[in-house]
Amino acid sequence: MKLITWNVNGLRACLTKGFAESFAALDADIFSIQETKMQPGQADFAPEGYYEYLNSAEKKGYSGTACWAKQPPLSVRYGIDKEEHSHEGRAITLEYPEFYLVNLYVPNAQDELARIDYRMQWEDDLRAYLLALDAQKPVIVCGDLNVAHQEIDLKNPKTNRGHAGFSDQERGKMTELLSSGFADSFRRLYPERTGAYSWWSYRFHAREKNAGWRIDYFLVSERLMPKVKDCVIHSEIFGSDHCPVELDIEWD
């Protein structure tokens, strides 16, 4: 089974930059995107052979998640079971017989960590939500988690220490989540790999120089890790300031 996650930074914009072609070429069983920045019906994209699930923010042109799946899920949930987190379209959960797939666009802590208190609350509520799912069946978490966990996960850790996405608070919450029973599939498979990034600023020719951050993930319940065959960062695919990330998993 092939799963893809990609922060498209506006689906309508990404559609003008080859999204449909990349979608077809990647041929995923489940394709999850973040930062759709649209309401239902605003994009002309309906891939044949897929079921579509959208969770849009109440604020137009902001946030939002979507999933396309070849097989219909047993159930679909939007949000993370907390009303205060239900307004920005940041989560979709698809339930399948063997697992839950949770597509996330985690809130950015913003400049000067202006939204760090909200982010910390989100992290605690998200962890509780994921652990409740994990008690029922294994969980695959994908999406833009808006944190580079370790120094190896960004090009310039020293100058970015304490900034949004690399604050001690956000990194600590990621450590807490992983310690509660989840594995960072890419880093587990490639513990020493450097220069592996999924997001680059549009400024300073960052992508050209590969001055990036790895903030897009596939986390899996620890008991699923033996079934993970590969996790691939498709840095060769353009269309957004992020690139797609692929998880290959083999069921018995």
Side-chain angles (χ1 to χ4, degrees):
M1 173 181 264
K2 181 196 283 192
L3 308 176
I4 294 286
T5 182
W6 192 4
N7 179 323
V8 294
N9 193 10
L11 179 57
R12 288 170 292 179
C14 199
L15 280 164
T16 69
K17 302 172 186 175
F19 176 79
E21 291 78 6
S22 295
F23 183 99
L26 287 164
D27 190 27
D29 294 288
I30 306 174
F31 201 116
S32 300
I33 66 170
Q34 304 84 39
E35 219 171 344
T36 58
K37 295 185 177 178
M38 53 167 268
Q39 304 302 120
Q42 285 191 309
D44 183 18
F45 182 69
E48 194 174 335
Y50 285 87
Y51 297 85
E52 179 182 83
Y53 306 94
L54 301 175
N55 191 8
S56 298
E58 292 171 7
K59 180 181 174 183
K60 291 184 177 175
Y62 178 72
S63 188
T65 46
C67 295
W68 290 275
K70 287 183 177 176
Q71 297 297 322
L74 302 174
S75 70
V76 184
R77 306 184 197 185
Y78 299 99
I80 57 171
D81 285 354
K82 288 279 187 178
E83 197 281 330
E84 60 265 39
H85 305 310
S86 66
H87 305 286
E88 297 182 351
R90 293 188 177 274
I92 300 173
T93 301
L94 306 183
E95 179 188 5
Y96 287 93
E98 304 92 349
F99 66 97
Y100 289 104
L101 183 283
V102 183
N103 173 17
L104 294 174
Y105 178 41
V106 170
N108 191 300
Q110 297 183 351
D111 291 343
E112 308 292 323
L113 302 184
R115 215 182 184 198
I116 194 69
D117 290 345
Y118 177 72
R119 171 68 178 266
M120 293 296 98
Q121 187 61 53
W122 160 278
E123 293 283 354
D124 290 341
D125 293 339
L126 173 66
R127 189 172 62 257
Y129 176 74
L130 295 177
L131 288 173
L133 293 179
D134 187 56
Q136 299 170 54
K137 62 179 80 173
V139 179
I140 300 171
V141 180
C142 71
D144 177 357
L145 305 190
N146 255 320
V147 60
H149 184 218
Q150 300 168 326
E151 291 197 353
I152 196 173
D153 295 318
L154 73 166
K155 177 76 171 187
N156 298 305
K158 288 186 171 58
T159 54
N160 283 295
R161 174 89 186 267
H163 292 189
F166 199 60
S167 67
D168 292 350
Q169 300 97 308
E170 292 162 297
R171 296 170 67 197
K173 289 296 183 187
M174 175 63 103
T175 298
E176 214 172 324
L177 177 58
L178 295 175
S179 301
S180 71
F182 293 93
D184 173 355
S185 59
F186 179 84
R187 194 52 75 198
R188 190 67 66 87
L189 293 170
Y190 305 106
E192 306 298 329
R193 184 171 293 179
T194 59
Y197 309 127
S198 64
W199 173 78
W200 304 262
S201 170
Y202 278 135
R203 297 180 295 173
F204 315 121
H205 303 287
R207 192 156 185 174
E208 202 178 297
K209 299 172 184 171
N210 197 30
W213 300 48
R214 189 175 71 92
I215 60 175
D216 301 270
Y217 294 81
F218 273 103
L219 310 181
V220 300
S221 296
E222 281 285 1
R223 60 194 184 280
L224 280 188
M225 198 60 215
K227 299 182 187 301
V228 172
K229 299 305 165 192
D230 207 356
C231 186
V232 182
I233 298 175
H234 286 285
S235 55
E236 79 282 3
I237 296 179
F238 288 75
S240 166
D241 51 351
H242 296 248
C243 73
V245 180
E246 170 181 337
L247 183 76
D248 297 305
I249 190 161
E250 200 170 280
W251 302 101
D252 299 330

